[in-house]
Amino acid sequence: MSEPSKTNLSEKLFAPRQTSKETSSLVRLAHVTDKPIHNPIDGDSEVGWYRVLRRPQWVWQGIDPIEMEAIFARMAHANAPRTRDDLLDTVIGYKPGNWIYEWCQSGAKYQHKARYLVEQGQQASAGEALLNASMYYSVAAYPHIKGDELAAQAEVQANQTYREAMKHLPTKMKTIDVKYEGKTFQAFIHMPRMDKLLPTVVVTGGLDTLQTDLWRLYHDYLGPAGFAMVTLDMPSVGHSARWSLTEDTSRLHQALLQQIRDVPWVDHHRVAMLGLRFGGNAAIRLGFLEPTRLKTCISLGGVIHNALANPTVLDQMPRMYLDMIASRMGKRGISKASLTSHLPAWSLKNQGLLGRRKIDIPMLGISLKHDPICPETDNQLIAISSRGGKAITLPEKPLHDGYHRAMLTVVDWLKEKLA
C-alpha cells in the first residue's frame, strides 16, 4: 500500500465526528453502582474512570508508562462535554480528551515514525515502531464494546499496523481463514522457522483484548522456545466479532483445532491450548471436548467457576466489565441482575466438566495470589479433573516479575508435555 493511501485511510477512519456515541453510553445497564476492585492481573478500578486502567498489563505489553500517564493527564484536564461529568474518560466525540482520540494520536505517531525508518532502510526498527502503533490503537479500542464505531476503526488500525509490522520483522506470520457456521474468522500463526513441523500452542486472550495484544508471549517466550503460536480472538471480539459469547466459549477454538490439521507448518500431533482470563475458560473446556487432538491445556488467570457463580464476586464487578459482558452476549438496556443470572451457566463446574470427571490429558491452572477472578480453588478444580494436572499460585508482587515467572512456568510445562 502506498504512503498516500495509508494517510487517506487514517484520515477517513478518524474524520472528526460529533455524532459518534461515547463508549460508556452504549450498553446502559440498569441498577449498577460503581465499586472499586483490586485486581493483580488486570489492574485496579479507580474512582473517576469508567474503564479499568490496565496499567501493569499495558506496560508489560510494551506501552511507555510515561506516555501512558501523559495520555491520562490530557483526558483529566480536557474541558469538553462528557457522558458523565464524574468520569474522566467519557469525553464525547473524536477530539482532544476523548479516550480513543488520545490513544490513536500516539498510535499515529509511531506509525509515522515507522514510515521514516522504512525510508532510512531500518526495517527491524520500523517493525518495532509499527508494533508499538498496533498496541496503542488496540488500547484505544479497549474495552471493545460492540457498536462503538470509533473503537471499531481503531481496531482496523491495530490489525493493519500489526500485519505491516510482521513484514519488517524476522518472525514468519501467516493467516488462517477458519470457516464456522457459514462464516469465516481469521487466526494468526507465528513461526520462528518454516523448514520443519513445529509443536504449536493455540493462544487466546480475554474478552477485553485482541489477538494482536499477544505478541509479547510469542516474542519473549514461545518463539525462543521453538513453538509456533496460533492466536485467535474470543467470540464477540475482533476477528471473531460475528459470533456472540455463549456458554460454549470454545466453539471457535474447536473449529480452528479441527482445521489446523491442514496447516503445513504445524505438527498437529503436538498441539497445546493456552488461554488467558476468559480464554482460560475456553482452553480448559476445549480439553474436555478434544482430548485426542490436544496434548495439554493451560489456564492463566482463567475465568473458570468462582467469578461466574459467586454472587459476591459478581456484585463487585466494575461497571465496565458488566457492560463488556453484556455487549459480548448481545444484550443492552437490561438490569444487572438479569445479566448476572446468565453467568453461572458459563462455569465449567456447573457445566458438569470440572470436579466430576477426569480426562487423560494433563491440564495446568496457574494464577497470581489474591486474584479475585481466578482463586486457588479454581486452579485446584482444573488439577483434580485431569491426569497429571497441576495447580500453581505465584506471588503477585513484584507484578512484572509475576507475569514473567508465570510464563516461564508455562514454557517449562509445554516443553515437557509437547516433547
Side-chain angles (χ1 to χ4, degrees), residues 249 277-286 302-304 308 346-348:
T249 55
R277 281 310 197 211
F278 231 102
N281 184 292
I284 299 303
R285 194 174 191 282
L286 191 64
V303 185
I304 302 298
L308 298 167
W346 293 350
S347 156
L348 298 185

Side-chain angles (χ1 to χ4, degrees), residues 199-203 227 257 268-275 282-288 290-299 359-365 382 386-390 409-419:
T200 299
V201 186
V202 177
V203 185
F227 298 118
L257 188 61
H268 61 265
H269 296 293
R270 292 188 293 165
V271 179
M273 172 85 199
L274 165 64
I284 299 303
R285 194 174 191 282
L286 191 64
F288 282 91
E290 296 283 4
T292 61
R293 296 185 198 268
L294 290 167
K295 287 294 186 183
T296 185
C297 296
I298 304 168
S299 164
I359 61 172
D360 287 333
I361 63 170
M363 299 193 294
L364 172 65
I382 293 171
S386 66
R387 300 192 189 281
K390 193 171 184 179
T409 303
V410 166
V411 168
D412 286 343
W413 177 271
L414 288 169
K415 284 181 177 178
E416 179 185 337
K417 305 307 178 188
L418 295 181

Side-chain angles (χ1 to χ4, degrees), residues 153-408:
Q153 292 154 14
E155 283 189 18
V156 170
Q157 291 287 69
N159 276 296
Q160 177 185 299
T161 49
Y162 188 81
R163 291 169 186 270
E164 191 67 23
M166 294 299 113
K167 296 176 183 177
H168 300 283
L169 295 171
T171 295
K172 308 300 181 185
M173 191 192 90
K174 302 285 186 181
T175 56
I176 306 171
D177 292 320
V178 184
K179 294 180 174 61
Y180 183 71
E181 292 182 339
K183 295 173 282 191
T184 302
F185 66 90
Q186 202 162 72
F188 299 159
I189 176 169
H190 305 72
M191 297 162 286
R193 55 191 296 181
M194 296 178 67
D195 60 340
K196 61 179 292 188
L197 295 178
L198 297 172
T200 299
V201 186
V202 177
V203 185
T204 192
L207 297 179
D208 52 2
T209 58
L210 300 177
Q211 59 181 310
T212 53
D213 297 329
L214 301 171
W215 165 253
R216 183 156 186 194
L217 297 186
Y218 173 79
H219 181 268
D220 290 6
Y221 302 101
L222 299 178
F227 298 118
M229 179 180 83
V230 179
T231 59
L232 74 160
D233 295 309
M234 284 291 291
S236 77
V237 186
H239 284 292
S240 303
R242 294 179 179 180
W243 294 270
S244 293
L245 187 71
T246 69
E247 61 269 21
D248 187 0
T249 55
S250 59
R251 64 193 192 280
L252 299 186
H253 306 77
Q254 189 172 16
L256 170 65
L257 188 61
Q258 291 170 354
Q259 193 168 317
I260 218 170
R261 292 170 298 179
D262 303 323
V263 177
W265 308 283
V266 171
D267 181 350
H268 61 265
H269 296 293
R270 292 188 293 165
V271 179
M273 172 85 199
L274 165 64
L276 291 70
R277 281 310 197 211
F278 231 102
N281 184 292
I284 299 303
R285 194 174 191 282
L286 191 64
F288 282 91
L289 298 178
E290 296 283 4
T292 61
R293 296 185 198 268
L294 290 167
K295 287 294 186 183
T296 185
C297 296
I298 304 168
S299 164
L300 181 51
V303 185
I304 302 298
H305 168 67
N306 187 65
L308 298 167
N310 185 331
T312 302
V313 177
L314 292 174
D315 189 53
Q316 293 175 345
M317 277 192 181
R319 175 186 295 268
M320 186 209 81
Y321 278 137
L322 292 169
D323 283 356
M324 182 181 69
I325 291 170
S327 170
R328 301 295 177 261
M329 295 168 63
K331 297 182 180 296
R332 300 187 186 199
I334 63 173
S335 69
K336 176 182 176 181
S338 176
L339 174 69
T340 56
S341 69
H342 292 275
L343 300 186
W346 293 350
S347 156
L348 298 185
K349 181 179 180 182
N350 290 352
Q351 289 181 21
L353 300 176
L354 290 179
R356 299 187 187 181
R357 56 192 177 115
K358 192 184 289 275
I359 61 172
D360 287 333
I361 63 170
M363 299 193 294
L364 172 65
I366 183 170
S367 63
L368 302 185
K369 200 168 184 63
H370 301 132
D371 182 356
I373 303 300
C374 182
E376 294 181 42
T377 51
D378 277 15
N379 288 333
Q380 289 161 2
L381 269 176
I382 293 171
I384 65 172
S385 301
S386 66
R387 300 192 189 281
K390 193 171 184 179
I392 298 176
T393 302
L394 296 169
E396 65 172 293
K397 296 180 180 179
L399 188 58
H400 295 294
D401 188 50
Y403 287 154
H404 177 60
R405 279 183 294 171
M407 281 310 301
L408 290 180

Side-chain angles (χ1 to χ4, degrees), residues 131-148:
L131 282 174
N132 284 335
S134 178
M135 285 186 285
Y136 281 83
Y137 284 129
S138 177
V139 177
Y142 168 81
H144 311 284
I145 301 291
K146 283 187 176 181
D148 192 336

